[in-house]
Amino acid sequence: MTYAITQTCCNDATCIAVCPVNCIHPTPDEPDFGTTDMLYIDPKSCIDCGACADACPVDAIFPADRLTGRLREYEAINAAYYADRAPEPALASPMFHPWGEPAFSRSLPADFAPLRIAVVGTGPAGMYAAEDLLLHTNAEVTLIDRLPVAGGLVRYGVAPDHPATKGAGETFARFHAHPRVRLRLGVEVGRDVTAEELAAHHDAVIYAVGAPADRRLGIPGEELPGSVPATTVVSWYNAHPETGADAVDLSAGRVVVVGNGNVALDVARILVTDPDTLAATDIADHALAALRGARVREVVLLGRRGPEHAAYTASELLALKHLPGVDLVVDDRDPRTGEAIDAAAPGDKAALLRDVTREPVDWTADPARDRRRIVLRFHSAPVEARGTERVEAVRVTEGSSATGTENGPETVAESGPEIAAGLLVRAIGYRGVRLTGLPFDEATGTVPHEGGRVKGLPGGYVVGWVKRGPSGGIGANRACAEETVGTLLADAVAGTLPPPTGTPQAFQKLVRRHSRGLVDARGLAAIDRAERARGRDAGRPRVKLATVPELVAAARGGRWFRQA
């Protein structure tokens, strides 16, 4: 028996570090690490020890002979990665393999005084940085988030029907009550404290604020009601406190989603999944109620390029293929679509569409009332959203020859059909926003840096999407954080960090004075208990509190803020 990695792989390489026989690839020191959809276990080398399964933060690894249902495919997917790979040299024993020279990149002088580090953002990037500091140094860490609850992308960005991926949050949560951590939630840099004040009370500040804005299509009608970014839809069904319960209108039978990355597939899947299935997840109460009464029967995914260039991962496409009660259809009006699928080599994403129904779709007809379906339309881009008071239709290109990105039409293409739809969702990427007190590159939507060190801001560092742009999933932040923390510690040893002028006690008083909804570690634990209790009453894992006042009230539990 061997093990296999499945759909929820987060690519953070924790499994690689514990494997005694080096049977998981690509490894961080291999050139294709970070470019593959997931990691893969070599069935010929695996010795069935289970160390990788125990270490996986998202429960993505299982014994191959115990895979059932849609996960059965992953045994072959893991093996296929090694089909054309040159075999490793034969070794005298399967328990030994070549090891590189030991490296101690996180070592500090024995007499080095503890650093006080602030980490702004409690999503995966910020928590990987905090984890690195706490496990490898004696640093004291202040975790800051503008929301009164921790989690960031894990809590508000992962689809509710991916509970295993959300499990990464449990891994990070163990650091919230760490004795060298102080939680300061409900504190916004630029509103409650300035970047200068933050720096004055810490040896260094790591900004892990993500890329919260959306990219625009740049087409007429984009501002109409009924045209929303995927960020809104995702935060809506995840109970983000800054997104209202009425932010998404599901009164029409058809939805058009522009883009074919994983976020686009998440949105499409949630909109057509049986609400009774979603009721077993932590989806927002208001979203679940809206989906129960929704008229949506069809979601159209527009991809500017062909299936061979689709941005989604193979695992997310496989999830669509196995969605109960939902048909998956490829609109093959453009001959290049079918040609690419038929010509795809085994293992290519386009090859996964071979057994999917292909048919020319009649966009003049209303969606069928007796079935739900997702339509993949490649080589097509939106050119106009039409409607009087709100979106009523989307005019798209037909047979576009453009080969650019999903960011709207860049070349003139043949005019195509008008697709009747009551909701237009743009899922063409995220973008960072300027943070007061930090330099910002408008072209890339990131903070200029060198190895994570903010240019022109001594003691300032960045990690995650605000550092590298909106690319890579949860696990990609581990390597990103390692680089940033390594740069920070090198600066500390070199003596280039500006010494803080304020004390931890002074910073506590500062944030208490300016933040009306301050939440500490005890408050966060109270929120968790309250949500889990609501979930037990409803037969669900948890029912999220969906507004800032609700979160703060649960955190206080009838008491005022006390020191963590």
Side-chain angles (χ1 to χ4, degrees):
M1 181 183 71
T2 64
Y3 279 74
I5 299 177
T6 63
Q7 175 185 350
T8 57
C9 176
C10 71
N11 282 285
D12 85 340
T14 300
C15 54
I16 293 174
V18 300
C19 178
V21 292
N22 196 30
C23 74
I24 306 175
H25 297 271
T27 65
D29 56 354
E30 292 174 344
D32 51 347
F33 181 77
T35 66
T36 58
D37 290 348
M38 52 184 277
L39 304 178
Y40 307 88
I41 293 176
D42 184 353
K44 295 181 179 179
S45 302
C46 177
I47 61 171
D48 184 27
C49 69
C52 54
D54 292 338
C56 179
V58 293
D59 293 330
I61 306 177
F62 301 94
D65 64 352
R66 297 183 189 175
L67 296 175
T68 60
R70 59 185 176 83
L71 296 183
R72 287 292 306 167
E73 296 175 274
Y74 285 92
E75 181 177 10
I77 289 173
N78 277 254
Y81 178 78
Y82 297 93
D84 299 321
R85 186 182 176 94
E88 299 287 338
L91 301 173
S93 167
M95 292 302 296
F96 297 94
H97 60 82
W99 295 93
E101 289 293 324
F104 304 97
S105 58
R106 295 294 177 270
S107 61
L108 292 171
D111 59 348
F112 204 80
L115 296 170
R116 296 207 311 267
I117 311 295
V119 178
V120 182
T122 58
M127 291 310 301
Y128 274 126
E131 177 185 50
D132 197 336
L133 289 164
L134 294 167
L135 294 183
H136 300 108
T137 77
N138 60 353
E140 299 170 356
V141 177
T142 305
L143 290 175
I144 297 171
D145 202 296
R146 65 187 181 86
L147 295 177
V149 65
L153 181 68
V154 174
R155 180 178 170 96
Y156 293 121
V158 176
D161 60 347
H162 283 359
T165 304
K166 286 179 177 286
E170 300 297 325
T171 301
F172 298 138
R174 73 186 194 272
F175 293 104
H176 295 158
H178 192 284
R180 286 186 281 120
V181 168
R182 291 293 180 265
L183 271 180
R184 299 291 178 254
L185 307 176
V187 176
E188 183 172 348
V189 178
R191 181 194 66 188
D192 302 313
V193 297
T194 66
E196 293 77 14
E197 289 172 329
L198 198 55
H201 292 83
H202 297 86
D203 292 286
V205 181
I206 300 175
Y207 292 92
V209 294
D214 62 282
R215 295 187 180 277
R216 312 288 291 181
L217 293 170
I219 62 173
E222 186 175 8
E223 303 301 328
L224 282 170
S227 171
V228 299
T231 50
T232 295
V233 181
V234 172
S235 60
W236 172 76
Y237 61 57
N238 274 317
H240 195 292
E242 295 176 339
T243 302
D246 59 351
V248 179
D249 185 346
L250 302 179
S251 59
R254 181 183 287 126
V255 175
V256 171
V257 179
V258 182
N260 56 20
N262 282 352
V263 173
L265 268 61
D266 281 347
V267 169
R269 190 181 64 253
I270 294 297
L271 292 182
V272 296
T273 292
D274 185 343
D276 288 341
T277 299
L278 294 174
T281 73
D282 68 351
I283 190 171
D285 266 357
H286 57 251
L288 183 60
L291 288 165
R292 288 193 187 281
R295 297 180 181 177
V296 177
R297 311 303 296 172
E298 180 176 283
V299 179
V300 183
L301 287 163
L302 296 181
R304 181 175 175 80
R305 299 189 291 175
E308 70 275 26
H309 299 297
Y312 52 69
T313 59
S315 58
E316 290 303 314
L317 178 61
L318 287 172
L320 285 193
K321 292 175 63 176
H322 297 293
L323 201 56
V326 178
D327 298 330
L328 183 62
V329 176
V330 173
D331 182 357
D332 70 346
R333 185 175 297 273
D334 190 309
R336 290 175 296 174
T337 298
E339 292 169 0
I341 294 173
D342 292 336
D348 291 348
K349 282 185 286 189
L352 296 175
L353 294 171
R354 284 210 183 105
D355 59 347
V356 173
T357 300
R358 286 184 245 169
E359 61 184 42
V361 178
D362 180 7
W363 299 112
T364 63
D366 293 331
R369 294 184 179 182
D370 59 346
R371 64 171 181 164
R372 289 167 290 156
R373 72 173 183 174
I374 294 173
V375 179
L376 298 173
R377 180 179 170 89
F378 297 101
H379 296 292
S380 188
V383 292
E384 182 182 7
R386 292 185 169 180
T388 52
E389 296 183 355
R390 60 171 296 110
V391 172
E392 298 172 2
V394 182
R395 188 165 62 86
V396 301
T397 59
E398 183 86 86
S400 171
S401 59
T403 58
T405 67
E406 298 290 337
N407 299 334
E410 297 175 357
T411 61
V412 177
E414 181 182 341
S415 180
E418 186 173 290
I419 302 176
L423 182 65
L424 172 64
V425 181
R426 52 183 184 272
I428 57 173
Y430 295 88
R431 177 178 171 79
V433 297
R434 180 181 295 276
L435 190 65
T436 303
L438 271 68
F440 189 72
D441 186 332
E442 292 288 352
T444 62
T446 60
V447 172
H449 68 93
E450 295 175 342
R453 181 192 304 110
V454 178
K455 292 183 178 179
L457 186 66
Y461 300 84
V462 285
V463 67
W465 283 3
V466 74
K467 169 187 172 183
R468 66 181 189 272
S471 63
I474 291 174
N477 291 294
R478 177 184 287 276
C480 183
E482 287 177 354
E483 179 189 49
T484 294
V485 171
T487 300
L488 186 159
L489 295 180
D491 291 347
V493 173
T496 59
L497 296 181
T501 56
T503 65
Q505 293 75 19
F507 184 72
Q508 177 195 344
K509 292 179 180 179
L510 176 67
V511 295
R512 290 184 66 177
R513 187 165 62 248
H514 293 289
S515 174
R516 295 182 178 180
L518 190 61
V519 172
D520 61 3
R522 293 190 186 96
L524 181 61
I527 290 172
D528 183 63
R529 289 193 300 271
E531 291 185 339
R532 290 182 185 274
R534 296 178 77 200
R536 284 194 298 272
D537 293 341
R540 302 172 59 192
R542 74 168 63 230
V543 174
K544 289 179 181 175
L545 299 166
T547 68
V548 168
E550 288 176 328
L551 289 163
V552 173
R556 290 176 175 168
R559 63 166 175 80
W560 293 105
F561 172 83
R562 292 200 302 266
Q563 164 66 12

